[in-house]
Amino acid sequence: MDTITTQPFSDQRPGTSGLRKKVKAFQTPHYLENFVQAIFDTQTDLRGGVLALGGDGRFYNREAIQIILRMAAANGVKRVVLGQGGLLSTPAASCVIRKYKTDGGIILSASHNPGGPEDDFGIKFNTPNGGPAPESVTEAIFERTKSITEYSIIEGQPVDLDQPGEQTLGETSIRVIDSVKDYADLMMQLFDFERIHQLFNSGVFSMRFDAMHAVTGPYAKYILEGLLGALPETVINGEPKVDFGGGHPDPNLAHAQELVSLTSGPNAVDFGAASDGDGDRNMILGRNFFVTPSDSLAVMAANAHLIKGYATGINGVARSMPTSQAVDRVADQLGLACYETPTGWKFFGNLLDAGKIALCGEESFGTGSNHIREKDGLWAVLFWLNLLAVKQQSVAMIVQAHWHTFGRNYYTRYDYEAIDKHAAEGLMAHLRSELDNLPGQTLDSYRVAYADDFAYTDPVDGSRSEQQGIRIGFEDGSRIAFRLSGTGTEGATLRLYLEAYEPDPTKQMQSTESVMGRLVHIALTLAEIEQRTGRTKPTVIT
Ligand code: VG1
Ligand code: CO
């Protein structure tokens, strides 16, 4: 075993979902090693314990895995459960950690961020419940990175990442598994595969799933085309590539255009879905119809009783703060508990572990349930397929009927990417300084009901998270929120979230753009976006 002398890097604080940097940063000598050693130093159960390991297959995945394996061996990890080919989707990693009862997992991913030598890489640690480490753990890891002086690694031949079965590296046994099977087994417990199979065989239903050249390709092909009998062309862009085929593996209307066009026009398929780089996000499309992620969560909550895995009823739901309040309306009517958490999946973990909620989601194309502790792209797709099979209605009909019952929460998000960090911080500080003046004011006929900087006290462990984004709520149920991204790797990214509530069914078929016009204007003016960032329009609207 070698002990290598190193010096701390000052920028290894994990963000919303792990440590994300340019590949070049991770290739800096000792950079990856320092962070990994900080995990081993703080997560002491891993010594003599079991570690799950895998990533989304992006550029540098295989190299990083070889380094982590040699460090795991040097740090006394007894066994590593490794995804074949170094691949584990984020939800599959969560499934594997729980199924094999490992002492945690390391997932290599920068999720929806582009991959390749000039683009992004990331690493995150998940705890034995299968979920992203809570802030107490990520802070401990960060603290350790600030004082690290050495790390341990063994010499050794490269491990064969592709051959399933057991091998040894030093004293550590490495078991390469095909996680597709484990993941599919879990899905079969939750959904009525027989019924979905019938839907695909009915001859009147067609779908496309866009894996965006990311990690879900093999999972989607096995489950949709293999087990459920969907036609062989159902999964598009199904081969994982290190650079995601040059694309941006983010399943939204801007980046999944090929799928959008397949669900548009007279020859459109009935159902379209896409997933992101690491397989935890999902986009749901009907024929000429886009389901906002916030609506998707609400529809799931309202219909969970129709789905095998949730048929006995759900007790509670949760959404992140910027996510629309559509699910709150469902919870209200059905008498479910409803929690509003800060952005990022790590905040759902305690609620799920404590059995307080069964479903949760974020506006950023993330939905999930108590089956694992990560958001889960393919799970959401299967949930929708099961619902379509049971209801025998189109996606549009299901969502419109939902609006009719619960009202419609029009929703949109503006992202201003790679803006100047100081300008972004100044803008947020300015908004904070306005908070006390806003309640009671009328802005373009919207009366402000409350304005605050969102803070959260975890109802399970009492931990407190402050400054989680500015919320401005209006008396008619509309809302504006602002926050700075914690996953970007260049400058700062400002996110502006807008929501308008419309209870009247005769006014629920307008375009989101037209409904949002006045709220957008209020937000741009309040935050002085153009003056402070120099941007006249957002980088992307979702
Ligand atoms: C973004 C999303 C957030 C999501 C996070 C990780 O974070 O807004 O909802 O949980 O990405 O998703 P931020 O801090 O950039 O707004 V994934 O699929 O990138 O791991
Ligand atoms: Co992701």
Side-chain angles (χ1 to χ4, degrees), residues 6 8 33-34 99 155 197 309 325 337 364 418 446 468 486 506 538:
T6 188
E33 291 86 345
N34 278 15
K99 182 163 178 173
E155 293 285 332
H197 199 281
Q325 300 164 101
S364 54
Y446 285 94
Q468 296 297 318
T506 66

Side-chain angles (χ1 to χ4, degrees), residues 20 90 109-112 249 276-281 375:
R20 289 190 196 175
T90 287
S109 169
S111 189
H112 58 289
D276 71 332
D278 62 332
D280 55 359
R281 296 185 177 206
K375 57 186 184 269

